[in-house]
Amino acid sequence: GSTLQAAASESGRYFGTAIAANRLSDSTYATIANREFTMITAENEMKMDATEPSQNQFSYGNADRIVNWARSNGKQVRGHALAWHSQQPGWMQNMSGTSLRNAMLNHVTQVATYYRGKIHTWDVVNEAFADGSSGGRRDSNLQRTGNDWIEAAFRAARAADPGAKLCYNDYNTDNWSHAKTQGVYSMVRDFKSRGVPIDCVGFQAHFNSGNPVPSNYDTTLRNFAALGVDVQITELDIEGSGSSQAQQYQGVVQACLSVARCTGITVWGVRDSDSWRASGTPLLFDGSGNKKAAYTSVLNQLNAG
Ligand code: G3I
């Protein structure tokens, strides 16, 4: 394949990117995005603060711009994200207890129902585990409604859109030896054993020199897949440049390709200048839209299989 999506599809996988609605009018951006990627994640537009700015008043304008652009160009959409401790609308931030639990479940139900049939995969819950060595849950207003909030969100999402794949998504879960990775693994194993509806686990994969691509990434992906879920790389970016950056990207692609249930890779933006990282040139295209060495190494690795 001569594009990322064509090369990935040779092994039945997808290659995706995050899209910002307000950049779709930039023709360089839209041209690259349309040519290279086939799975689209809204970078911010489907989050709780964007879709429910006032309680029970839903707002889908910018999310729809992305979903309609994706679908009219023959692409699929990864919904991001139904429930998260961050980017909550102001009205939700100071809620607690039963009223927060019900507001969260209402949000999951309403948004997943609105997009029913249009979403390939939902990130149902995002970033619910703590950093550091505990391996436990992150403290948040949602967590304080009870440890079962995650499974409640998954059950509500399944009921609202039975056709969508339902994913748990997190960062710093790439290294198999990290406590956070083990904590998420235990939750997924528990969900599978009790029939909680979960189909996949997303690995955000935000890397830099302090948090490099682990050499055991394939082990992590393989062990999660062995629980009976698909795995995906969902927000890949790697700070750096030149051949060092290119090699690290290649390593991530290689790890995914080595696991049958690693079904796709999404990078978190199109050009370096579109990235949430202020510096670090972490993406596959430079600010002018030129292919970087990292692009070539990813394409070659996808083609090598
Ligand atoms: O749109 C407003 C603009 O009107 C305002 O003037 C400006 C001033 O602050 O803010 C703009 O909103 C910003 C938004 O990005 C759009 O640029 C928010 O402040 C800013 O917080 C937001 O950052 C996003 C971040 O999530 C928030 O948590 C990044 O774009 C987005 O890339 C990032 O994505 C997350 C994933 O959802 C989850 N995993 C980690 C990943 C990277 O942090």
Side-chain angles (χ1 to χ4, degrees), residues 10-288:
E10 284 166 22
S11 66
R13 293 178 172 85
Y14 66 79
F15 211 95
T17 193
I19 289 289
N22 62 12
R23 290 179 201 264
L24 283 172
S25 54
D26 174 334
S27 66
T28 304
Y29 177 88
T31 299
I32 297 171
N34 195 17
R35 186 185 69 216
E36 300 288 342
F37 304 104
T38 187
M39 181 68 73
I40 301 302
T41 308
E43 188 174 2
N44 289 295
E45 293 80 350
M46 297 177 93
K47 293 173 181 176
M48 300 179 99
D49 58 351
T51 51
E52 196 178 356
S54 304
Q55 188 166 14
N56 226 15
Q57 295 189 354
F58 292 84
S59 162
Y60 296 110
N62 284 326
D64 280 346
R65 285 173 64 194
I66 293 176
V67 171
N68 293 337
W69 179 85
R71 289 169 58 81
S72 67
N73 286 297
K75 304 179 188 309
Q76 293 179 304
V77 177
R78 185 184 188 93
H80 173 80
L82 290 172
W84 191 16
H85 71 279
S86 182
Q87 284 188 283
Q88 291 180 0
W91 60 265
M92 184 182 276
Q93 288 173 21
N94 294 315
M95 286 180 81
S96 63
T98 304
S99 57
L100 173 60
R101 174 67 72 96
N102 289 337
M104 180 274 289
L105 292 175
N106 181 58
H107 181 87
V108 170
T109 298
Q110 296 297 323
V111 177
T113 299
Y114 178 82
Y115 282 113
R116 179 186 204 138
K118 295 183 173 177
I119 302 297
H120 181 275
T121 297
W122 269 111
D123 288 333
V124 178
V125 170
N126 196 36
E127 301 178 2
F129 276 74
D131 296 312
S133 59
S134 77
R137 297 286 181 85
R138 174 194 298 278
D139 181 48
S140 72
N141 61 349
L142 290 168
Q143 180 63 28
R144 291 191 291 272
T145 71
N147 205 51
D148 62 342
W149 75 275
I150 297 179
E151 61 194 84
F154 274 83
R155 292 187 200 282
R158 180 69 98 223
D161 187 353
K165 300 286 187 198
L166 304 183
C167 246
Y168 176 78
N169 192 54
D170 214 328
Y171 66 89
N172 286 358
T173 48
D174 317 286
N175 193 317
W176 179 242
S177 67
H178 283 178
K180 189 172 177 180
T181 310
Q182 294 298 317
V184 175
Y185 179 82
S186 297
M187 180 189 73
V188 175
R189 188 177 51 193
D190 171 55
F191 280 12
K192 293 300 288 185
S193 75
R194 292 189 296 110
V196 177
I198 184 169
D199 304 304
C200 43
V201 176
F203 297 81
Q204 293 185 10
H206 295 292
F207 297 112
N208 57 28
S209 55
N211 177 38
V213 178
S215 58
N216 61 15
Y217 209 178
D218 58 331
T219 300
T220 304
L221 298 174
R222 189 167 292 111
N223 286 344
F224 273 86
L227 294 175
V229 289
D230 289 339
V231 295
Q232 292 108 23
I233 310 294
T234 54
E235 306 182 12
L236 177 61
D237 53 19
I238 307 175
E239 290 187 0
S241 62
S243 59
S244 151
Q245 181 181 48
Q247 272 174 24
Q248 293 186 75
Y249 263 103
Q250 181 183 359
V252 175
V253 174
Q254 209 165 22
C256 179
L257 293 181
S258 77
V259 177
R261 293 196 76 155
C262 184
T263 57
I265 298 172
T266 294
V267 290
W268 204 239
V270 177
R271 300 162 300 193
D272 285 337
S273 51
D274 303 313
S275 172
W276 69 289
R277 296 196 195 256
S279 61
T281 59
L283 293 172
L284 301 179
F285 295 86
D286 70 19
S288 305

